[in-house]
Amino acid sequence: MLSLSNVNQVQYLMILCFSFLIFVFNLTFHTGNHLTGLLGTLFFIPLYFCIASVTLLKTVNTEVMLILAEVSLLLFISFGLACRLNHKKVIILRLMAIIFPIGISMLLFGLEVEGYLLYSIGTPLGGALAFLNGILSFKRYKDRRLFRGFMILWMGFVFSLGREMQIFHILMLLFKLLAYLNFYMYFYRKAHQRWVVRVKKAEKDKAELEATVHGQVEKQLFMMQLSNEKLLNASKEDGLTKAYNKGAILEVLEHMIAKKQEPFTILMFDIDHFKKINDTYGHVTGDQCIKAVAQTAINHLRKVDYLGRYGGDEFIIILPGIPVEGAKVVAERLREQVSMACTPRITVSMGIAAYAKDGTTVTELISKADQGLYRSKRRGRNAVSHGEI
């Protein structure tokens, strides 16, 4: 026969074990100020009462402690389900869930409490609270798992009213076991869902990052190498314009050809009627015009582009990754800006050459760009020319 004492012992172990699992699981995975985190914290109440019953409150009947544990838990859960939770309310309920059982245990310390009276009041009260929590969890939160757990627990309380019958003891233990198991699975599934969402988000972010990095890393490394080569020093810098000197710009051009990683275009241009400007306004004004042209070019180029002074009033621009059509747009925009760059008004004529279409060596590219430049001169100057445009 299953005695009342044995029933209480089994019920005690069941509540202790599941409360411990749920409470620790909550501390590990549900630290936020949401309903799941709050409900998990509230399982500290039955956990504390079970521990206190064998330490501080040895004089209190085990049956009394079990009723106190379950009724207190269900009461606090009712508050949590009924309230519109916010950060402040969650903190208050969590603090109360810790203070309340400690306070009750201090009141009961050393007292002998009549178990039957508390059992006759606490059992129907616990059943009513379990039923109420089931309704609240379904109506307010549409949570079928919580609803199912509270309804099963309610059935456990119903069967516990028939304490004189052996079958009711067994059914009560069975239903309460199913209820607490359901609660544990509720917290487990919530944690699993949260981690699945986090993992999927992390995987998505990782995939996006890898896609971006994979497509850009080689190009960025190449650009970094080119940027390092753009560090101007006394041996590579043109003193007047601060652009690359002839040797340096040709060295960059050779490096671009040696890499063979992507197409690029060069622009070669000079100032129209520059000798006339020097003869009319003097060499100081001529130098100012050269500086103005160089500064205008620098202002309208990208950081990865290169500007070099090829000689006199003649310049070369290297445009990595830009085909002929794009170079035409850059050249036309630069031509228009130069005409407004200084006084007296100046214009430039430009030629375009593309690697590897117009040549695969420095000599071939310079020659092709120079042909385009003189073609612009023949067209009346202040123009942009290429073999196909």
Side-chain angles (χ1 to χ4, degrees):
M1 294 290 289
L2 190 63
S3 67
L4 184 60
S5 175
N6 290 336
V7 170
N8 288 336
Q9 289 176 6
V10 172
Q11 191 175 356
Y12 170 84
L13 290 174
M14 179 173 60
I15 295 175
L16 175 65
C17 292
F18 277 108
S19 297
F20 174 78
L21 287 174
I22 292 172
F23 180 68
V24 173
F25 194 82
N26 173 76
L27 291 181
T28 306
F29 296 104
H30 297 290
T31 56
N33 293 318
H34 43 74
L35 177 65
T36 307
L38 172 62
L39 295 182
T41 304
L42 297 182
F43 275 85
F44 171 79
I45 297 173
L47 175 62
Y48 177 84
F49 275 125
C50 288
I51 295 173
S53 67
V54 295
T55 54
L56 300 175
L57 304 175
K58 294 181 179 180
T59 59
V60 180
N61 187 286
T62 302
E63 196 171 24
V64 172
M65 295 306 299
L66 294 177
I67 289 295
L68 274 175
E70 289 190 310
V71 170
S72 300
L73 171 65
L74 292 170
L75 183 62
F76 273 87
I77 290 177
S78 297
F79 290 148
L81 293 175
C83 293
R84 293 189 179 275
L85 294 178
N86 54 40
H87 179 73
K88 184 177 180 181
K89 289 180 180 178
V90 170
I91 292 176
I92 292 173
L93 283 172
R94 280 178 167 169
L95 289 175
M96 289 178 63
I98 296 172
I99 295 171
F100 177 79
I102 297 175
I104 293 295
S105 65
M106 293 177 65
L107 290 175
L108 296 178
F109 184 74
L111 297 180
E112 293 187 7
V113 183
E114 177 59 42
Y116 179 78
L117 178 61
L118 187 60
Y119 184 87
S120 61
I121 297 173
T123 300
L125 178 59
L129 288 172
F131 187 83
L132 174 63
N133 290 341
I135 298 301
L136 287 174
S137 61
F138 185 77
K139 290 291 186 181
R140 295 201 61 180
Y141 296 95
K142 308 298 182 186
D143 197 315
R144 294 182 180 274
R145 182 169 292 276
L146 269 183
F147 171 75
R148 184 167 58 247
F150 286 121
M151 289 298 101
I152 296 173
L153 185 60
W154 171 69
M155 289 298 298
F157 277 105
V158 171
F159 285 116
S160 65
L161 292 173
R163 54 190 290 161
E164 294 80 8
M165 299 181 65
Q166 178 77 17
I167 187 64
F168 280 11
H169 288 168
I170 297 174
L171 290 174
M172 180 268 290
L173 290 176
L174 178 61
F175 274 89
K176 285 197 174 183
L177 175 63
L178 291 175
Y180 281 103
L181 181 61
N182 186 88
F183 290 141
Y184 176 77
M185 292 305 299
Y186 165 79
F187 288 100
Y188 171 79
R189 288 181 181 273
K190 287 290 185 180
H192 182 262
Q193 290 171 2
R194 288 165 63 85
W195 282 104
V196 165
V197 170
R198 291 183 181 180
V199 168
K200 286 184 178 180
K201 184 178 184 302
E203 289 177 348
K204 181 181 178 182
D205 293 342
K206 179 184 176 183
E208 291 177 352
L209 182 61
E210 287 179 347
T212 301
V213 171
H214 183 74
Q216 295 294 326
V217 64
E218 291 187 0
K219 183 176 181 180
Q220 290 299 325
L221 288 173
F222 178 57
M223 293 302 182
M224 286 173 62
Q225 292 174 350
L226 295 181
S227 296
N228 290 335
E229 292 177 11
K230 289 179 67 177
L231 294 174
L232 301 180
N233 51 55
S235 64
K236 294 185 177 182
E237 185 180 278
D238 177 66
L240 178 64
T241 63
K242 307 304 178 184
Y244 281 108
N245 58 31
K246 181 177 180 179
I249 195 67
L250 292 180
E251 184 180 328
V252 172
L253 189 55
E254 288 177 354
H255 180 78
M256 295 283 290
I257 293 172
K259 286 293 183 180
K260 297 181 181 180
Q261 290 187 349
E262 63 178 349
F264 63 88
T265 324
I266 68 169
L267 307 179
M268 176 176 280
F269 62 95
D270 66 7
I271 301 174
D272 296 328
H273 302 297
F274 183 68
K275 183 177 183 304
K276 184 177 180 181
I277 292 173
N278 276 336
D279 292 342
T280 304
Y281 299 100
H283 289 280
V284 173
T285 300
D287 288 347
Q288 289 176 348
C289 289
I290 291 174
K291 290 173 66 177
V293 169
Q295 189 59 49
T296 302
I298 292 171
N299 292 341
H300 289 82
L301 295 178
R302 304 169 300 169
K303 290 184 179 181
V304 296
D305 298 330
Y306 295 89
L307 171 68
R309 188 180 180 191
Y310 193 63
D313 63 318
E314 201 166 25
F315 291 88
I316 289 178
I317 293 175
I318 302 175
L319 302 172
I322 295 183
V324 173
E325 295 77 10
K328 168 71 172 176
V329 174
V330 174
E332 289 289 358
R333 183 170 63 243
L334 179 59
R335 181 186 62 79
E336 293 174 0
Q337 293 296 323
V338 166
S339 65
M340 302 180 289
C342 70
T343 302
R345 181 179 180 274
I346 57 176
T347 60
V348 293
S349 297
M350 294 190 179
I352 300 175
Y355 176 86
K357 189 173 185 179
D358 295 322
T360 56
T361 66
V362 173
T363 302
E364 291 173 350
L365 290 172
I366 294 293
S367 176
K368 189 68 174 181
D370 196 44
Q371 292 175 20
L373 170 60
Y374 281 97
R375 183 181 178 190
S376 294
K377 297 288 188 184
R378 292 193 299 270
R379 291 169 58 193
R381 296 181 170 80
N382 192 22
V384 177
S385 298
H386 179 256
E388 296 183 356
I389 57 176

